[in-house]
Amino acid sequence: MSYRFANLAGTAGNRPRLIVTGAALLIVGAAGYATRSDNPLLDSRSRLPAAEAARPSAMIPSADLSRISWADSNPDFPPDSLVEGQAAFDENMRRLEAAMRRLEATPGYTATFHRRERVAGRLLDHETISVAVRHAPYSVYMKWLDEGAREVLFVEGENGGRMVVRLAGWKGRMLPAIRIAPDSSKAMEFSRHPASEFGLLEICRHLISDRRGDAGSGADVRWRMAAKQRYEGRECTYFRLEYGSPHDSEAARLYRKSVQIIDDETSLPIWVANYGWPAEGETFAGPEALDAATLLEHYVYADLDLAPRFSPDEFDRANPAYGFQR
């Protein structure tokens, strides 16, 4: 499978550090026309194959992570494929820094984005969202591909710092698009992170910042890496870190465990799951039950195109392919 990459000259403008979004979006929104399968401008050979965000728990064959899920993220690996401790940490940092440099030198990307998040203590349903992201000026268009066909557009420096939202269902058909602050309480009812803090680049920056914080704090972190794996037909590397205590570091206050699947060719973290701490005194039948009860956020990027040909009105609410004018 081939990739198309944008000209690696230019660097995206620095924006505030974002919390894993890996993810994260809004009450309404997702990405769209630029990633539709019927868009003649897209070359399917340049995309990562489609993936599901979660699948039923099952035995994971050696060297194949395609059946991993957020609720069963602890596969067994042949001993000769495992690296643990400092060497695994060093390789994780090397990959993430390479991914950040690649993304900063890339104008943007399109992808199919899968997410599942826990908001206000409640684990929300899995969502599939088509996304188009431009790094400078930071812009994101999102269109939900599941029931409702919601849309969101956020462009840095436009619309008074607000995102434009087309509601789902009959509301979207009957009511005009609305503008809402991406970090407002209403917008954050169904998302852990605002649309103004979305994307692979921010995931990389956040993970790198956390790892540097861990190194500086002397945190008790158990690292495991399994190379020469495959995920949805792609060669990749599995990384898992687990903290010993929520007092280990700043990141450990929120996360008990983080799992990443990093694509070997691009160094991009295409699969990320982060887990929190159980309530004091809670007991679980095993690690799968613990993970299912403490998942905070799960993000998967599929159909990833790192050299999209954005149209002039790609991030314009007047784009006739979008529903904001209805």
Side-chain angles (χ1 to χ4, degrees):
M1 175 174 295
S2 64
Y3 276 85
R4 293 188 293 111
F5 293 105
N7 182 354
L8 301 184
T11 303
N14 292 328
R15 300 191 310 280
R17 169 177 172 270
L18 306 176
I19 307 173
V20 167
T21 51
L25 302 187
L26 252 326
I27 178 177
V28 282
Y33 181 73
T35 55
R36 289 181 183 172
S37 60
D38 60 351
N39 186 343
L41 295 180
L42 293 181
D43 178 357
S44 62
R45 295 173 300 173
S46 67
R47 307 167 180 167
L48 291 177
E52 294 178 9
R55 300 188 179 192
S57 175
M59 182 69 70
I60 299 173
S62 173
D64 182 4
L65 297 174
S66 295
R67 300 181 68 182
I68 194 171
S69 79
W70 59 266
D72 188 5
S73 63
N74 302 289
D76 293 323
F77 298 102
D80 61 357
S81 70
L82 284 175
V83 175
E84 299 186 90
Q86 186 66 38
F89 168 86
D90 291 344
E91 182 63 13
N92 184 255
M93 284 292 287
R94 186 187 72 80
R95 299 284 190 95
L96 292 172
E97 288 173 345
M100 183 175 68
R101 290 192 299 270
R102 180 187 293 281
L103 289 166
E104 286 178 337
T106 301
Y109 58 88
T110 62
T112 301
F113 176 61
H114 302 269
R115 75 166 180 175
R116 193 164 197 192
E117 295 180 317
R118 190 178 301 275
V119 178
R122 181 167 63 95
L123 185 61
L124 304 181
D125 291 338
H126 164 250
E127 297 171 289
T128 302
I129 307 165
S130 180
V131 302
V133 176
R134 180 176 63 189
H135 289 139
Y138 172 72
S139 310
V140 57
Y141 170 73
M142 301 173 278
K143 183 174 182 178
W144 268 249
L145 301 180
D146 43 21
E147 184 178 358
R150 295 168 289 175
E151 291 179 279
V152 160
L153 175 68
F154 178 82
V155 179
E156 191 173 53
E158 296 185 10
N159 299 305
R162 300 187 177 192
M163 61 184 186
V164 183
V165 176
R166 182 173 74 89
L167 301 176
W170 69 266
K171 292 182 179 180
R173 294 189 297 271
M174 300 294 294
L175 301 176
I178 62 174
R179 295 196 301 175
I180 184 172
D183 58 353
S184 65
S185 58
K186 186 64 175 177
M188 300 303 295
E189 285 182 3
F190 299 98
S191 178
R192 290 180 62 83
H193 313 285
S196 56
E197 302 179 358
F198 172 81
L200 274 166
L201 180 56
E202 298 313 322
I203 288 179
C204 291
R205 288 173 174 166
H206 173 73
L207 291 173
I208 290 169
S209 177
D210 283 349
R211 300 296 76 78
R212 289 173 177 167
D214 291 344
S217 69
D220 174 19
V221 186
R222 297 182 295 277
W223 274 94
R224 170 167 287 196
M225 178 185 92
K228 299 180 180 179
Q229 303 299 303
R230 296 188 70 81
Y231 176 70
E232 298 293 344
R234 301 288 302 174
E235 294 183 1
C236 64
T237 301
Y238 171 97
F239 291 92
R240 183 172 83 227
L241 73 88
E242 296 177 88
Y243 293 104
S245 162
H247 306 294
D248 282 338
S249 68
E250 188 68 27
R253 294 181 183 181
L254 178 61
Y255 300 122
R256 171 184 59 86
K257 167 184 166 183
S258 180
V259 177
Q260 305 157 34
I261 297 176
I262 293 183
D263 182 86
D264 287 348
E265 181 179 348
T266 65
S267 292
L268 297 177
I270 57 174
W271 195 104
V272 177
N274 293 314
Y275 303 84
W277 296 94
E280 187 175 357
E282 277 190 293
T283 59
F284 300 91
E288 291 80 12
L290 173 60
D291 285 353
T294 59
L295 178 74
L296 294 178
E297 49 204 14
H298 179 219
Y299 308 121
V300 179
Y301 284 84
D303 304 314
L304 188 59
D305 183 355
L306 297 176
R309 285 165 280 187
F310 291 137
S311 64
D313 59 355
E314 196 77 41
F315 300 99
D316 187 342
R317 64 174 296 171
N319 187 326
Y322 303 157
F324 300 119
Q325 302 306 309
R326 299 191 181 95

